[in-house]
Amino acid sequence: MHESRPAPALWVVVPMYDEAEVLPEFQARLLHVLDALDLPARVLYVDDGSRDASWALAQDFARLDPRVHGLKLSRNFGKETALTAGLDAVARVENVAACVVIDADLQDPPEVIPELIARWREGADMVYATRRRRLGESGIKRLTAAVFYRLMRRLSATAVPQDTGDFRLLSARALRALAGLRERQRFMKGLFAWIGYPQAQVLYDRAPRAAGATKWNYGRLWRFAVEGVTSFSTVPLRLATWVGMLTSVLAFAYGAWIVLKVFVWGISVPGYASLIVAILFLGGLQLLALGIIGEYVGRTYLEVKQRPLYLIEASVGAAAPPSDAMP
Ligand code: UDP
Ligand code: MG
């Protein structure tokens, strides 16, 4: 008799940072959805250095339900890295059917998961959930998000689907492909898009946060946007070159005009104002170009250091690697 292999399982990766307030409700709703699925399911909570009871809760969940696993990072690494840690752990597991990524704050409704699975069964390797409306988010946040997606589309060859967060399903081969992208600057939306493979979209309404507060502020969003642009586009570098060239041409034309004036009408009033304007303008442009180059050089520096992306402090359940594992 041949040995019966367990059926491939669906893995759900949940990055969490100080989510103790919503976690019990999230876990209940998620398990309710998973119970109704026709394939086995596993949950992997990735604790991104929470300061509250999130990790203790995840450990409790794991004790109560053998399907639940947990990974605790050594400190807060940011959502993108926490997600990577979770996906890496799942990529090491045998017999993965597909993997779903979902936020713990219930803004991504777990009830959408069966739809993601349906699209995946129709042959899509990546099924992303796109929000139809953003409830409970300020007009300014919506506006900045819209501007950002448009900018990204213009600047980068890798098209990032608009209004799509990290909530999505990845097939086993998409998961493997993603695990092979080891860059330190992890703009996940871009990395997801870079993979390619057949993609499908599911629309849903994004609910407001169930409890707790968002960890995003404008400083963080700005860094996120710069990350997105610089990891997937070198257009800003080219922009610096073009602006530099344009100003040089203008400066040359202006210089020629002044020389001509001297020859035709003789020396006139010394142009203090125009001199100052030119100096300030060119100085500003040079600083801008230097700043842009600096962003890229800095990223190259971070990349060549080849540090591990994250460190794992503790784990519960079978899926998690030993705690001193180096990713
Ligand atoms: N998160 C994380 N590490 C962080 C910040 C956030 O793992 O440093 C998790 C957070 O717990 C949540 C998800 O990432 O599950 C999305 O975070 P948040 O709701 O703050 O972002 P938003 O929904 O506003 O984009
Ligand atoms: Mg949220």
Side-chain angles (χ1 to χ4, degrees), residues 23-228:
L23 224 45
E25 194 196 333
F26 173 80
Q27 162 82 353
R29 267 175 66 182
L30 180 65
L31 286 191
H32 186 72
V33 170
L34 298 184
D35 284 339
L37 295 180
D38 57 357
L39 78 172
R42 309 273 180 272
V43 184
L44 177 62
Y45 285 104
V46 183
D47 178 44
D48 188 16
S50 296
R51 296 152 299 181
D52 65 1
S54 298
W55 176 241
L57 280 171
Q59 283 174 299
D60 287 346
F61 297 157
R63 255 193 299 279
L64 290 171
D65 193 323
R67 292 176 294 176
V68 178
H69 307 259
L71 215 61
K72 178 177 167 47
L73 302 188
S74 61
R75 64 171 169 85
N76 179 253
F77 283 89
K79 180 188 176 182
E80 315 268 308
T81 304
L83 205 56
T84 306
L87 292 172
D88 283 350
V90 175
R92 277 192 292 266
V93 175
E94 274 182 57
N95 228 0
V96 175
C99 181
V100 167
V101 173
I102 189 169
D103 283 1
D105 60 5
L106 286 172
Q107 277 191 293
D108 306 338
E111 291 74 22
V112 177
I113 292 176
E115 280 182 64
L116 300 179
I117 293 175
R119 292 286 105 70
W120 164 62
R121 286 194 167 136
E122 288 166 18
D125 281 278
M126 171 101 54
V127 188
Y128 49 88
T130 301
R131 18 185 200 263
R132 203 175 285 137
R133 271 180 298 146
R134 290 173 162 232
L135 299 172
E137 285 183 355
S138 68
I140 295 194
K141 174 140 187 218
R142 278 198 299 243
L143 182 77
T144 45
V147 169
F148 171 68
Y149 283 115
R150 286 202 174 69
L151 190 74
M152 272 305 285
R153 224 181 0 225
R154 280 296 184 85
L155 290 186
S156 159
T158 314
V160 175
Q162 189 167 358
D163 276 343
T164 299
D166 295 327
F167 186 21
R168 65 187 65 222
L169 179 146
L170 288 88
S171 71
R173 71 170 175 177
L175 185 69
R176 275 196 303 276
L178 194 72
L181 303 179
R182 301 315 296 172
E183 60 213 81
R184 255 118 280 269
Q185 265 71 53
R186 301 197 74 80
F187 179 64
M188 291 306 279
K189 288 190 225 286
L191 296 180
F192 285 137
W194 181 90
I195 290 175
Y197 288 147
Q199 314 221 338
Q201 188 185 43
V202 165
L203 289 172
Y204 75 101
D205 292 320
R206 188 160 168 89
R209 237 175 187 285
T214 176
K215 278 92 204 171
W216 292 102
N217 51 42
Y218 279 100
R220 227 171 157 154
L221 280 175
W222 169 252
R223 282 197 294 279
F224 182 71
V226 171
E227 207 73 82

Side-chain angles (χ1 to χ4, degrees), residues 258-271:
I258 288 177
V259 171
L260 192 78
K261 252 183 19 181
V262 168
F263 277 122
V264 177
W265 294 291
I267 295 177
S268 60
V269 188

Side-chain angles (χ1 to χ4, degrees), residues 109 118 274 327:
S274 59

